[in-house]
Amino acid sequence: LHAFGSGNRCFTYLGSYDGEDVELRISYFGKARRWDFTPGQQPKHTVNTPVGRKLDPGEAEDCYNCHTTAAVVDSTGKILPEKSIFGVGCESCHG
């Protein structure tokens, strides 16, 4: 399970369900100091797993690319969070 966001506004969580990357249906909104549905996953919206929206491999990689300084990918294109550098530093934009 990984949390994405500044914490000042929101934390959205990525997890795994049946071996697939999933954006969890519930996020924490820091300014409001409460948990609520992740945008786009409110009750009227269709999700494709019981825990949230299954992500395509490219979508998961986009999340990690924006929210890490260096996302490490294996030979099959799967993100390796345990080898990636989390947090956004100068290197994210400036190499």
Side-chain angles (χ1 to χ4, degrees), residues 1-4 7 9-14 23-39 41-43 51:
L1 181 68
H2 293 99
F4 292 91
R9 294 193 181 269
C10 181
F11 279 120
T12 296
Y13 297 87
L14 254 56
E23 177 187 60
L24 299 186
R25 193 160 194 184
I26 301 294
S27 292
Y28 182 75
F29 295 85
K31 193 169 186 175
R33 302 183 77 186
R34 68 186 178 119
W35 294 87
D36 206 341
F37 290 100
T38 300
Q41 296 196 51
Q42 293 86 351
V51 296

Side-chain angles (χ1 to χ4, degrees), residues 48-64:
N48 49 17
T49 77
V51 296
R53 184 175 66 88
K54 186 174 12 174
L55 301 175
D56 295 329
E59 286 182 293
E61 187 174 343
D62 288 346
C63 294
Y64 284 97

